[in-house]
């Protein structure tokens, strides 16, 4: 064992500040591979994954379904056994743990699920208390910590309800409470918002971000929705066919998606060319036409509107805009229409890239 | 009309039936649930994988279930003598009844246990449950409504099977119906026994259904 803190339960640990707890919670994969063997043959789910997840960050793993992200997440608490390579939690190789070691490890790693996986025969309180009960924590301490945790996730007063009576968002809050009650250093989220409506998704993501900040725990989440990554992640890795195809800070991956898989995942977030413009767009200019220029911002510059007007040297109209701020970086694209006499080629210095996509008759507007 | 002696006889028979079915149903629960848990958890993908033992247990269960109760009643006589110390009477019928009901109930309980969402087992593992915690806190409580429903079926089946216990002189309602109703052509007794059995089975089914409904309503 390396310097991992003792399992939750001791008063000293209960009093530990979030500062102290930030020390634990790193995950590193070294050449990880997973092959499923069945009568139908071998299927490679993961190959040669090497990755470091830092303590206290929110790390996203995204990929299309079947990309292997779920298998990867499950190797962290060994619900899935890798066939090659290593997983280290705070430097400790978890492959060698016996049942007791594994139980201890899992008490340091919380997990929440797409379908919540709450026990229907137990009340909310009993569900949340279970990790402490099986760890042999004293009864009154359990009661106290369950109350604290239910308050943390905003479920005061719901303790004696059965899960079937709760909404999806409330069920996921119970799941989060159950995962947090052991005071883990790492929280694994398996498509935690995929079964929720957009509004509830936002509230759960806000809660996760809040927990990450207040408790300083590492969050590793998998999703197939780029919007989830954009909402809360610090760094992201894109998995395709069991391999890492892209990795980096979220703004970078959003700003400069290199791999086709990443671009495909980003597609639903992009509006593309507005339909009316697409209809009227011509390849060649006629007299009096506006030149339509697409300016892309990949996070290296902030759109400078004065500079834009100056560089264009003529009339500039904003036709469509889709720029957002991710981790303090401007990401997205804008379409501008330049009047006669403007110099489209000068716009290259305003944005990270600029290109003329066509010409439209300005008098139609 | 039923004579007072006959009413006494029916009362005694009802008590014998209740005793036979009650005790052997109790044994079926105590032995059948662990057997069902074993059949589920020792599966290749179970939490205590032991495929070879699993196959042996499965074959034994099938073997006992293949033998008709009336045959089992006779075939088990040496075993019954060993366990109950006698081969006639109520206690001699309890042994084969329990032996026949246990695998029956185990198979039904097994189905309910298998239907527990694997996601719940995964969640339990993720919060640091040991394997027996999973049996106690996940498998059994989650499968309980199905197990109780299965137990109801088992008890009703056993009430039927106990009618054959007269073959080893165990008495009971079925025995009265055969000896007085059939062999002495006493239709009144036959009808009375049938009426009592109907009420008994309805009561058991009602109790079982109510319990299941309560549990499912949570």
């Amino acid at each position: 064992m390396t310097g991992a803190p003792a399992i939750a339960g001791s008063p000293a640990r209960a009093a530990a500040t979030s500062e102290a707890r930030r020390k634990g919670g790193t995950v590193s994969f070294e050449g990880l591979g997973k092959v499923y063997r069945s009568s139908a043959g071998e299927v490679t789910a993961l190959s040669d994954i090497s990755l470091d997840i830092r303590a206290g960050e929110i790390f996203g793993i995204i990929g299309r379904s079947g990309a292997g992200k779920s298998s990867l997440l499950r190797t962290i608490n060994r619900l899935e056994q890798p066939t090659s390579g290593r997983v280290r939690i705070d430097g400790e190789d978890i492959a060698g743990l016996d049942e007791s070691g594994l139980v201890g490890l899992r008490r340091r790693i919380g997990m929440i699920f797409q379908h919540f996986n709450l026990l229907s025969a137990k009340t909310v309180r009993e569900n949340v208390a279970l990790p402490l009960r099986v760890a042999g924590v004293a009864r009154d301490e359990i009661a106290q910590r369950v109350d604290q945790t239910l308050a943390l996730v905003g479920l005061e007063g719901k303790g004696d309800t059965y899960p079937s009576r709760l909404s999806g968002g409330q069920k996921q809050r119970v799941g989060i409470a159950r995962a947090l009650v052991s005071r883990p250093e790492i929280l694994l989220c398996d498509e935690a918002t995929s079964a929720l409506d957009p509004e509830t998704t936002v509230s759960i993501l806000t809660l996760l971000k809040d927990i990450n900040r207040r408790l300083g725990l590492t969050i590793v989440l998998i999703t197939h929705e780029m919007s989830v990554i954009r909402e809360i992640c610090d760094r992201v890795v894109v998995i395709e066919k069991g391999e890492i195809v892209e990795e980096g800070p979220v703004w970078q991956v959003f700003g400069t998606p290199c791999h086709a898989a990443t671009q495909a995942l980003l597609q639903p977030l992009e509006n593309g060319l507005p339909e009316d413009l697409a209809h009227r767009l011509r390849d060649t200019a006629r007299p009096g036409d506006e030149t339509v220029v697409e300016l892309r911002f990949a996070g290296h510059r902030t759109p400078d509107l004065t500079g834009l007007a100056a560089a264009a040297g003529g009339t500039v109209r904003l036709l469509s805009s889709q720029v957002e701020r991710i981790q303090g970086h401007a990401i997205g694209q804008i379409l501008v229409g330049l009047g006669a006499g403007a110099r489209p080629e000068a716009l290259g210095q305003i944005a990270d890239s600029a290109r003329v996509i066509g010409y439209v008759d300005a008098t139609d507007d | 009309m039923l004579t007072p002696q006959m009413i006494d006889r029916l009362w005694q028979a009802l008590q014998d039936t209740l005793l036979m079915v009650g005790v052997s149903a109790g044994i079926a629960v105590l032995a059948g649930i662990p057997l069902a848990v074993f059949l589920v958890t020792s599966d290749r993908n179970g939490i205590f994988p032991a495929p070879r033992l699993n196959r042996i247990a499965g074959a034994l269960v099938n073997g006992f279930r293949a033998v008709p109760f009336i045959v089992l009643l006779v075939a088990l006589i040496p075993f019954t003598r060993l366990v109950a110390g006698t081969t006639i009477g109520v206690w001699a019928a309890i042994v084969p009844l329990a032996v026949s009901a246990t695998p029956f109930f185990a198979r039904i309980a097994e189905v309910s246990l298998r239907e527990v969402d694997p996601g719940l087992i995964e969640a339990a593992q993720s919060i640091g449950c040991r394997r027996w915690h999973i049996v106690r806190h996940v498998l059994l409580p989650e499968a309980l409504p199905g197990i109780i429903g299965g137990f109801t079926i088992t008890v009703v089946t056993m009430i039927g099977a106990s009618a054959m216990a007269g073959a080893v002189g165990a008495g009971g309602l079925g025995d009265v119906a055969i000896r007085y109703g059939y062999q002495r052509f006493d239709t009144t007794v036959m009808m009375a026994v049938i009426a009592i059995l109907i009420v008994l089975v309805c009561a058991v089914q009602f109790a079982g259904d109510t319990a299941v409904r309560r549990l499912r309503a949570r």
Side-chain angles (χ1 to χ4, degrees):
Chain A
M1 291 281 287
T2 45
I7 295 159
S10 69
R13 181 153 167 70
T17 62
S18 62
E19 250 5 84
R21 296 184 51 212
R22 282 197 77 102
K23 285 173 192 156
T26 63
V27 180
S28 71
F29 302 99
E30 296 169 11
L32 196 78
K34 171 80 189 178
V35 177
Y36 290 102
R37 290 186 179 84
S38 71
S39 49
E42 291 192 350
V43 180
T44 305
L46 295 171
S47 60
D48 199 27
I49 302 276
S50 293
L51 194 61
D52 285 303
I53 299 173
R54 301 169 195 146
E57 76 175 333
I58 304 186
F59 191 89
I61 299 170
I62 190 164
R64 293 183 266 200
S65 44
K69 50 194 192 299
S70 192
S71 302
L72 181 59
L73 188 79
R74 280 167 168 69
T75 60
I76 298 176
N77 61 356
R78 238 178 79 185
L79 285 177
E80 193 83 68
Q81 197 87 38
T83 37
S84 59
R86 247 182 274 281
V87 180
R88 292 182 190 277
I89 308 293
D90 293 332
E92 182 195 2
D93 185 352
I94 64 169
L97 297 173
D98 57 3
E99 193 187 2
S100 293
L102 196 55
V103 164
L105 173 83
R106 286 172 177 168
R107 286 174 187 160
R108 285 163 45 204
I109 303 177
M111 186 164 184
I112 59 176
F113 303 86
Q114 178 175 8
H115 297 295
F116 324 122
N117 296 354
L118 303 176
L119 299 173
S120 66
K122 293 190 190 299
T123 61
V124 166
R125 172 177 297 283
E126 289 164 342
N127 266 285
V128 176
L130 189 59
L132 301 180
R133 261 186 87 184
V134 297
V137 176
R139 192 177 285 263
D140 39 343
E141 197 190 334
I142 293 181
Q144 191 193 336
R145 275 171 55 181
V146 169
D147 283 338
Q148 279 172 6
T149 314
L150 286 177
L152 179 73
V153 300
L155 281 180
E156 296 103 326
K158 292 280 183 202
D160 297 320
T161 314
Y162 283 94
S164 62
R165 308 227 178 259
L166 300 176
S167 69
Q170 287 172 325
K171 283 181 190 163
Q172 194 57 287
R173 283 169 193 269
V174 178
I176 294 172
R178 179 176 65 183
L180 292 182
V181 78
S182 305
R183 302 201 172 107
E185 289 139 19
I186 301 172
L187 178 64
L188 308 179
C189 308
D190 178 12
E191 296 276 8
T193 57
S194 299
L196 302 174
D197 62 52
E199 197 185 334
T200 316
T201 295
V202 171
S203 79
I204 292 294
L205 293 180
T206 310
L207 175 64
L208 289 176
K209 199 161 193 170
D210 183 50
I211 286 163
N212 164 260
R213 231 180 264 135
R214 279 162 69 176
L215 309 180
L217 48 60
T218 311
I219 296 182
V220 184
L221 63 85
I222 62 174
T223 180
H224 61 271
E225 295 168 305
M226 267 298 195
S227 54
V228 169
I229 301 282
R230 180 183 59 194
E231 211 71 49
I232 65 168
C233 289
D234 299 316
R235 289 196 306 143
V236 61
V237 57
V238 183
I239 304 264
E240 175 77 353
K241 298 197 180 95
E243 290 175 47
I244 295 179
V245 296
E246 203 154 339
E247 183 189 348
V250 171
W251 70 268
Q252 231 170 49
V253 173
F254 270 72
T256 333
C258 300
H259 195 271
T262 318
Q263 286 156 7
L265 287 162
L266 279 169
Q267 202 66 58
L269 297 182
E270 284 178 10
N271 296 335
L273 194 60
E275 205 180 336
D276 68 306
L277 274 181
H279 273 299
R280 290 156 45 202
L281 210 59
R282 288 193 286 259
D283 288 339
T284 49
R286 294 184 198 167
D289 267 5
E290 247 180 9
T291 310
V292 180
V293 181
E294 183 195 63
L295 302 173
R296 286 199 158 267
F297 294 90
H300 303 292
R301 301 163 202 235
T302 307
D304 172 3
L305 298 181
T306 321
L308 175 63
T315 59
V316 185
R317 294 198 308 144
L318 179 60
L319 301 177
S320 140
S321 153
Q322 198 191 348
V323 176
E324 28 181 11
R325 211 172 153 78
I326 302 177
Q327 296 175 315
H329 298 266
I331 308 286
Q333 70 275 341
I334 61 179
L335 289 181
V336 291
L338 305 184
R343 294 165 291 133
E345 58 287 349
L347 296 186
Q349 40 188 299
I350 300 299
D352 292 318
S353 75
R355 68 188 177 101
V356 174
I357 59 169
Y359 306 89
V360 290
D361 189 342
T363 55
D364 284 359
D365 273 351
Chain B
M1 267 309 287
L2 292 170
T3 60
Q5 291 97 315
M6 187 50 73
I7 289 175
D8 266 359
R9 208 164 270 140
L10 283 171
W11 176 239
Q12 183 60 45
L14 175 64
Q15 285 177 310
D16 286 347
T17 295
L18 291 178
L19 181 66
M20 276 189 290
V21 173
V23 173
S24 41
I27 296 171
V29 168
L30 291 179
I33 287 182
L35 181 55
V37 168
F38 177 79
L39 285 170
V40 173
T41 56
S42 63
D43 189 277
R44 183 197 309 277
N45 301 314
I47 51 177
F48 295 97
R52 187 167 298 172
L53 282 175
N54 183 279
R55 269 196 298 278
I56 294 172
L60 273 176
V61 166
N62 289 345
F64 275 103
R65 293 207 48 212
V67 182
F69 180 65
I70 188 78
V71 177
L72 198 66
L73 196 64
V74 184
L76 280 181
I77 282 177
F79 178 69
T80 304
R81 182 181 291 122
L82 194 74
V83 177
T86 174
T87 55
I88 53 165
V90 170
W91 291 97
I94 284 173
V95 174
L97 257 181
V99 167
S100 139
T102 300
F104 179 81
F105 175 56
R107 276 291 188 217
I108 297 182
E110 183 194 354
V111 172
S112 300
L113 289 168
R114 277 193 200 288
E115 275 170 8
V116 172
D117 180 359
L120 297 183
I121 295 169
E122 201 178 40
Q125 289 171 329
S126 80
I127 59 174
C129 282
R130 287 170 194 278
R131 292 180 286 189
W132 58 271
H133 288 140
I134 294 175
V135 172
R136 187 175 152 216
H137 292 291
V138 181
L139 286 179
L140 290 176
E142 292 297 316
L144 191 61
I147 291 176
I148 290 177
F151 182 62
T152 311
I153 297 174
T154 308
V155 171
V156 170
T157 307
M158 287 167 78
I159 292 173
S162 73
M164 298 171 216
V168 292
L173 289 166
D175 185 46
V176 172
I178 295 288
R179 283 197 290 139
Y180 295 87
Y182 177 63
Q183 287 166 351
R184 293 193 189 176
F185 306 104
D186 190 339
T187 312
T188 318
V189 172
M190 184 65 96
M191 298 311 278
V193 168
I194 290 173
I196 294 171
L197 283 174
I198 289 174
V199 170
L200 198 59
V201 167
C202 286
V204 168
Q205 192 65 47
F206 176 77
D209 288 349
T210 308
V212 172
R213 203 171 332 108
R214 288 244 169 100
L215 288 173
R216 291 224 197 269
R218 296 195 297 210

